[in-house]
């Protein structure tokens, strides 16, 4: 069974409540209509109900009536969620008037619904910048216990003939969020990516923390950071199979690993690659995608206490549909922990 077929079936078995704060955005409505038609998730649209129903009719969408629609201009909605935002941010100096104004912002309202337990995850970014999507998530949902950094992972789906990873899947992180992680942050990224590997890729993680050095072949402060991160990651999650510092070939090619890192528990069969900086990770995934004919799925945000995922503003309805499916699986995985 293909990856998205499997993820869709899992989502259907335990339908999650997914908030779409850009409820009057046409691509979002098309994706929501398909999700509802296939009974994959329970959809919550934020926006003016009159406008949403008008747009759905104009687009020929027949299932939007099954969505829950929340109007951010409804005072009763603001009355419900503004006190929660005030409690979360009062130490930052906001007053109730500011809390009410911010709650009316759909990005924040959606996150507040997740925080209050009225929804299980949020997908946004077709209209909003990544910075705005992340800011709302940071301020309201915050990070998981033991994790203080949010990162972005890509699933790299390899074509036939590239026999790396597990079942043709590699997971790359961080390729989207943290420019220059500390050793502690790098360790937390490794631990969070393990959950993404399990919950989304459906593989048991074998994690390599990458460097330009393998087991002391070079000496540099950047190498030291990866060595320290590996140590911290072992302490955070002692049951994970992980190793570092490793060069990329020693991480994924058994014959090279046998020569360069013969005692590594990965034995050259890593399926999760953690890059030492955003610069390296972003360049790597784009090169692999373009030169290797690899499908890059993501980024999936990880490390939050509940799933929030960001879209490209150039996305298609299919992209939004798939992101909703993956967000459902993240929510199911977090609840199982």
């Amino acid at each position: 069974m293909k990856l998205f077929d499997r993820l869709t079936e899992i989502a259907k078995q335990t339908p999650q409540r997914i908030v779409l704060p850009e409820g009057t955005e046409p691509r979002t409505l098309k994706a929501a209509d398909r999700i509802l038609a296939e009974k994959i998730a329970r959809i919550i649209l934020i926006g003016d109900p009159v406008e949403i129903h008008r747009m759905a009719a104009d687009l020929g969408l027949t299932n939007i009536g099954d969505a829950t629609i929340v109007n951010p201009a409804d005072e009763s909605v603001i009355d419900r969620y503004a006190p929660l935002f005030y409690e979360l941010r009062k130490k930052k100096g906001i007053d109730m008037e500011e809390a009410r104004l911010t709650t009316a912002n759909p990005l924040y309202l959606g996150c507040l619904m997740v925080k209050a337990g009225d929804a299980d995850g949020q997908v946004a970014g077709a209209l909003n910048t990544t910075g705005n999507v992340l800011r709302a998530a940071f301020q309201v949902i915050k990070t998981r216990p033991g994790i203080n950094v949010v990162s972005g992972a890509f699933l790299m789906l390899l074509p036939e003939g590239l026999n790396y990873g597990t079942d043709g899947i590699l997971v790359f992180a961080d390729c989207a969020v943290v420019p220059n992680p500390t050793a502690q942050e790098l360790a937390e990224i490794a631990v969070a990516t393990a959950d993404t590997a399990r919950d989304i890729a459906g593989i048991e993680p074998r994690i390599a923390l990458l460097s330009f050095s393998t087991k002391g072949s070079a000496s540099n402060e950047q190498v030291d950071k990866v060595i320290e991160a590996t140590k911290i990651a072992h302490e955070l999650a002692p049951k994970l199979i992980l190793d570092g510092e490793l060069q990329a070939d020693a991480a994924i090619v058994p014959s090279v690993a046998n020569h360069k890192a013969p005692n590594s528990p990965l034995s050259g069969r890593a399926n999760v690659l953690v890059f030492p900086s955003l610069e390296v990770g972003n360049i790597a995934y784009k090169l692999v995608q373009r030169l290797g004919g690899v499908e890059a799925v993501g980024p999936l945000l990880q490390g939050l206490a509940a799933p929030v995922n960001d879209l490209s503003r150039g996305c298609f309805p299919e992209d939004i549909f798939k992101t909703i499916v993956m967000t459902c699986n993240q929510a199911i995985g977090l609840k199982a922990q």
Side-chain angles (χ1 to χ4, degrees):
M1 184 180 290
K2 292 183 178 180
L3 175 66
F4 278 105
D5 292 338
R6 178 179 60 78
L7 292 176
T8 299
E9 287 305 311
I10 292 171
K12 284 181 178 180
Q13 291 170 17
T14 313
Q16 301 296 294
R17 301 161 298 171
I18 304 299
V19 182
L20 303 177
E22 297 160 332
T24 56
E25 199 283 317
R27 294 164 296 172
T28 299
L29 284 175
K30 289 178 181 178
D33 189 77
R34 181 179 169 190
I35 290 286
L36 291 165
E38 298 184 24
K39 302 186 185 305
I40 294 169
R42 299 169 185 168
I43 294 296
I44 303 167
L45 295 168
I46 297 181
D48 180 350
V50 173
E51 185 177 0
I52 289 173
H53 286 302
R54 178 187 61 76
M55 291 184 69
D58 289 346
L59 293 167
L61 306 177
T62 58
N63 299 285
I64 294 300
D66 294 334
T68 298
I69 299 177
V70 176
N71 189 347
D74 187 333
E75 288 296 320
S76 66
V77 172
I78 305 303
D79 289 342
R80 174 172 174 78
Y81 294 106
L84 173 58
F85 187 68
Y86 171 73
E87 287 299 319
L88 290 169
R89 302 295 293 174
K90 64 183 179 181
K91 290 183 180 178
K92 299 294 184 180
I94 74 161
D95 56 24
M96 184 55 76
E97 181 180 358
E98 185 179 354
R100 292 180 67 85
L101 286 171
T102 305
T103 299
N105 180 323
L107 290 178
Y108 282 84
L109 178 55
C111 286
L112 286 163
M113 294 184 71
V114 175
K115 185 73 171 181
D118 296 330
D120 301 303
Q122 174 167 296
V123 174
L127 291 175
N128 289 275
T129 65
T130 296
N132 287 338
V133 172
L134 285 176
R135 191 173 300 110
F138 284 142
Q139 292 185 11
V140 176
I141 294 175
K142 305 184 186 299
T143 54
R144 291 168 38 196
I147 302 291
N148 296 298
V149 62
V150 173
S151 55
F154 279 85
L155 272 60
M156 309 300 290
L157 309 183
L158 311 184
E160 279 191 46
L162 287 181
N163 299 315
Y164 301 107
T166 298
D167 298 329
I169 299 174
L170 288 166
V171 186
F172 285 12
D174 172 21
C175 305
V177 182
V178 188
N180 188 24
T182 64
Q184 178 70 37
E185 289 171 336
L186 202 58
E188 293 177 8
I189 289 168
V191 173
T193 309
D195 290 332
T196 298
R198 290 194 191 97
D199 298 338
I200 305 301
I203 59 179
E204 190 59 31
R206 297 171 59 85
I207 304 166
L209 285 87
L210 299 182
S211 176
F212 60 84
S213 169
T214 295
K215 300 299 181 181
S217 64
S219 179
N220 180 277
E221 63 182 13
Q222 293 301 314
V223 175
D224 293 341
K225 181 178 81 167
V226 177
I227 293 171
E228 179 65 16
T230 304
K231 177 183 176 184
I232 295 169
H234 276 300
E235 294 169 352
L236 290 173
K239 293 184 180 180
L240 283 180
I241 301 172
L242 63 88
D243 198 16
E245 88 284 16
L246 293 170
Q247 291 165 288
D249 55 357
I252 64 171
V253 182
S255 61
V256 176
N258 187 54
H259 175 65
K260 290 186 175 182
N263 297 317
S264 173
L266 298 175
S267 300
R269 301 186 186 279
N271 53 25
V272 174
L273 304 183
V274 178
F275 297 92
S277 71
L278 175 57
E279 180 178 47
V280 177
N282 192 270
I283 291 170
Y285 104 77
K286 288 182 182 293
L287 283 175
V288 170
Q289 178 187 35
R290 299 299 179 181
L291 299 182
V294 172
E295 181 181 359
V297 178
L300 283 167
L301 297 182
Q302 50 187 27
L304 289 163
V308 172
N309 278 307
D310 178 44
L311 301 162
S312 164
R313 281 175 285 173
C315 64
F316 294 96
E318 178 73 11
D319 301 320
I320 302 173
F321 173 84
K322 287 182 175 180
T323 302
I324 293 170
V325 170
M326 291 189 290
T327 304
C328 290
N329 280 261
Q330 282 181 307
I332 292 167
L334 281 170
K335 290 175 184 178
Q337 291 182 6

